[in-house]
Each structure stands twice: as structure tokens, then as C-alpha cells.
């Protein structure tokens, strides 16, 4: 029997005024599906790019955003064997997590230990899992390297900083000035992106071994310029968030910028290289990486920060506050009023 739920919806793409909270019907889970009561949904630049209609391979509106969730199993469909009612689970969905309930294939669910803070576990699903892939798979950061991270106080940036330092790297990065003192306390050398001092100072050091750039577009050229040239070095793009910070005006497609980034690999006379990393729940390493992070969390080796949590009813405020909210770490949306 279908149930009535609340969910966020973009009936069309555009500015913050298009955001709606609507009522909808959700059917029972199908074969090998699980229905989950959502506690929290993740919130990221992906939500804003989706709202603007510039997210990669985006479907036609209307859509419900919500890149990931954590919640409790409510109903089990036929053929489900790995989960039972009441289990705490998380999953990457790309869409549909900003809703009271979701039906999702069993294979995408990850069982979360009950003792874990649910918002920290949620941060692992998207932000820290992305960072793990950046550090350990795309760049293979190692001890003694110099790593430069744009948006180092952001959700993925902060996680990338922690994981790079755990590998023995020295970290530099750009961030809002309000976060510089806290970053210095964590051993990071911070810069303001707009000052461009970071270009001069990294060049004076002889360049860096790795740059992680979530901004895209013209930022890729500047990031390329600070790579070390005497030893192999790599620029890893991800996210494409420059559109996120520009309300008003026509958003730009990321495809051309990513193509230009990867074309730099045709420069055979240099030891510099590029890649573009994206998280994918169907990638064989997704669950492996999430399991590794969950074990690190349980052992106290990492402690994800949650910068701010908005209630579902305040979803427009979340879109206004992204990039302006002080602090470091991840964002979340409290979907269930009873979420602890």
C-alpha cells in the first residue's frame, strides 16, 4: 500500500525560488528493494548544480535532490536477505534522498554500526568517500609530498586534508579567511583564493606534487601552473563547483572544462599530468572504501566535522547558506523531526 511522504522537489531548474516541498505517494518496495525511513540527507554543491540544471547527465525536471542519506530500514521487499527492519543504513543515491522515505535496491545499502553518530556516518558516504578516492586512488598521496587543496575547509576538502596528512603529506590550500586560524592549528598553510598569493608562493617552493581542484573552469589552468615540473606531479579535478558560488548569470557546462583538463595529458614534454575523479556507487571500490572509513571512524582515527544541519523545511536556507556558513566540514539536512 502506498504512503504519503514529504519531499523536496525542483519542478524546474533555476534560482532558489524554484525549490518546493511537496507531498507525494511512495509505493511499497519492489523485489530486492528496501524502504528506508530517512533521518538525514547529505547536502553538497551537487544539490546546487542540480537545482541550476547543470549537473552532469541530469534528467529533465521535476527531480528530487539528495545525494545520500542515512536512516532506518522500515520495510523489506521480497528477496532481500542482508537487512532487517530497524537496521541503520546509508547509501549514495545522487537523487531522491531529501524525502521522508526512499525505496532502494539492497545492493546499494551499507549497514552502519548503531553506536556511530549518524551524521558522521553520513559524511563518510559522500564527502569522505570522495576524499578517500582522491587521496588513495586518483593521486596516491605519499609521505613527504606537498599537496594543495582548493576549498580545504569544505566538506570534501577537509576530509582530503585529513587523509593527506595521515599519509604524511604537507598540506596547503585555499579557504575563506574566517577559517585560516583553525586551518593553521591543523597544520595547514591557508591562502585566500582571490588574492592569487598561492600561485606565487607555491611556485617559489618549486611547485607541489598534487593539486585537488573542485572549482573547475579557469581555475584548472592556475592549478596546473603550480605543479612541480622536475618530478611527476598531478592535478586532480572533481566537483566543478565554480557554478555553485555564482548565483545569477548563466551557469556554464563542465564538459568543455573537463575536456580541456584531460587534454593537458597530451603535453608529452612535461612530467605533469591530470585526471578527473567522481564518486560512483557502482564502482567496485565504493563499498570497500566506505568500509575502510567506517573502521577508521570506529577506531577514532578520523572524526568527521559537520558544519551545519538544516531542517527539511529550511531547504531554501541551505541553498542560500552554502559557501557562506562559517566553520569546516560537511552539511546535512534533518529530514526526520525525531532524528537525534
Amino acid at each position: 500500500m502506498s504512503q504519503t511522504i514529504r519531499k523536496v522537489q525542483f519542478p524546474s531548474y533555476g534560482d532558489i525560488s524554484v525549490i518546493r516541498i511537496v507531498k507525494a505517494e511512495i509505493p511499497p518496495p519492489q523485489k530486492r528493494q528496501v524502504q528506508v525511513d530517512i533521518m538525514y540527507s547529505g547536502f553538497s554543491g551537487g544539490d546546487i548544480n542540480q537545482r541550476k540544471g547543470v549537473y552532469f547527465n541530469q534528467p529533465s525536471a521535476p527531480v528530487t535532490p539528495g545525494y545520500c542519506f542515512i536512516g532506518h530500514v522500515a520495510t523489506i521487499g521480497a528477496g532481500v536477505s542482508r537487512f532487517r527492519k530497524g537496521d541503520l543504513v546509508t547509501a549514495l543515491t545522487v537523487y531522491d534522498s531529501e524525502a521522508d522515505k526512499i525505496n532502494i535496491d539492497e545492493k546499494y545499502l551499507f549497514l552502519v554500526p548503531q553506536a556511530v553518530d549518524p551524521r558522521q556516518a553520513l559524511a563518510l558516504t559522500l564527502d569522505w568517500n570522495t576524499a578517500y578516492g582522491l587521496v588513495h586512488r586518483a593521486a596516491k598521496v605519499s609521505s613527504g609530498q606537498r599537496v594543495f587543496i582548493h576549498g580545504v575547509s569544505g566538506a570534501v576538502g577537509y576530509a582530503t586534508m585529513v587523509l593527506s596528512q595521515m599519509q604524511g603529506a604537507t598540506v596547503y590550500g585555499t579557504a575563506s579567511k574566517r577559517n585560516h586560524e583553525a586551518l593553521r592549528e591543523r597544520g595547514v598553510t591557508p591562502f585566500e583564493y582571490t588574492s592569487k598569493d598561492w600561485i606565487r608562493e607555491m611556485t617559489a617552493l618549486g611547485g607541489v606534487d598534487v593539486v585537488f581542484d573542485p572549482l573547475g573552469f579557469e581555475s584548472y589552468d592556475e592549478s596546473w601552473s603550480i605543479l612541480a615540473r622536475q618530478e611527476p606531479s598531478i592535478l586532480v579535478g572533481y566537483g566543478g563547483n565554480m557554478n555553485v558560488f555564482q548565483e545569477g548569470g548563466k551557469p556554464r557546462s563542465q564538459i568543455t572544462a573537463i575536456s580541456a583538463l584531460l587534454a593537458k595529458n597530451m603535453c608529452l614534454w612535461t612530467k605533469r599530468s591530470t585526471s578527473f575523479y567522481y564518486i560512483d556507487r557502482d564502482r567496485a571500490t565504493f563499498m570497500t572504501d566506505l568500509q575502510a572509513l567506517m573502521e577508521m571512524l570506529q577506531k577514532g582515527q578520523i572524526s568527521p566535522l559537520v558544519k551545519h544541519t538544516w531542517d527539511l523545511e529550511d531547504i531554501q536556507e541551505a541553498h542560500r547558506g552554502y559557501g557562506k556558513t562559517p566553520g569546516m566540514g560537511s552539511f546535512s539536512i534533518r529530514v526526520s523531526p525525531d532524528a537525534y
Side-chain angles (χ1 to χ4, degrees), residues 321-337:
Y322 188 86
K324 300 176 183 177
T325 304
M328 297 190 292
S330 301
F331 290 114
S332 60
I333 304 298
R334 182 183 290 104
V335 177
S336 170

Side-chain angles (χ1 to χ4, degrees), residues 70-298:
I70 190 165
H72 290 98
V73 172
T75 308
I76 295 172
V80 171
S81 60
R82 295 173 47 232
F83 300 96
R84 61 184 181 182
K85 186 174 181 179
D87 282 346
L88 182 63
V89 293
T90 185
L92 191 75
T93 60
V94 185
Y95 296 96
D96 296 324
S97 285
E98 290 175 13
D100 288 329
K101 294 176 179 287
I102 190 171
N103 290 331
I104 185 168
D105 288 353
E106 176 188 29
K107 66 179 181 179
Y108 293 126
L109 288 175
F110 181 92
L111 183 64
V112 179
Q114 292 285 349
V116 169
D117 183 311
R119 287 185 296 171
Q120 286 191 320
L122 180 61
L124 298 185
T125 307
L126 172 61
D127 301 330
W128 282 75
N129 206 330
T130 300
Y132 194 95
L134 290 170
V135 171
H136 290 280
R137 302 195 182 280
K140 296 180 174 62
V141 173
S142 59
S143 180
Q145 287 189 320
R146 289 194 289 262
V147 172
F148 196 95
I149 304 168
H150 287 296
V152 68
S153 60
V156 177
Y158 179 81
T160 304
M161 172 200 80
V162 172
L163 295 174
S164 294
Q165 289 176 327
M166 290 176 70
Q167 291 299 104
T170 301
V171 177
Y172 309 81
T174 58
S176 299
K177 196 169 183 63
R178 61 178 178 264
N179 292 323
H180 283 197
E181 183 178 351
L183 287 167
R184 290 191 187 97
E185 291 174 356
R186 288 166 170 80
V188 176
T189 301
F191 300 89
E192 288 186 276
Y193 178 81
T194 54
S195 75
K196 306 305 179 183
D197 288 345
W198 53 276
I199 298 177
R200 184 183 66 254
E201 296 204 26
M202 295 302 100
T203 302
L205 285 176
V208 298
D209 301 289
V210 180
V211 181
F212 295 114
D213 189 334
L215 298 172
F217 305 101
E218 55 272 12
S219 178
Y220 286 150
D221 290 334
E222 294 177 335
S223 293
W224 173 260
S225 75
I226 67 170
L227 287 175
R229 305 190 183 199
Q230 302 304 314
E231 299 291 337
S233 57
I234 186 169
L235 161 60
V236 183
Y238 70 99
N241 282 344
M242 198 164 281
N243 278 325
V244 171
F245 301 109
Q246 297 173 340
E247 287 292 346
K250 185 177 180 180
R252 295 175 288 175
S253 170
Q254 298 180 47
I255 296 175
T256 301
I258 295 171
S259 297
L261 169 71
L262 298 178
K264 294 181 184 295
N265 287 315
M266 298 176 66
C267 300
L268 302 179
W269 58 87
T270 179
K271 295 182 178 181
R272 296 175 290 175
S273 64
T274 66
S275 71
F276 188 86
Y277 185 82
Y278 61 94
I279 194 167
D280 185 347
R281 66 183 185 177
D282 287 311
R283 188 173 287 153
T285 56
F286 177 83
M287 289 294 185
T288 301
D289 293 352
L290 184 53
Q291 182 62 47
L293 286 163
M294 196 66 69
E295 290 174 2
M296 291 164 68
L297 175 61
Q298 290 180 284

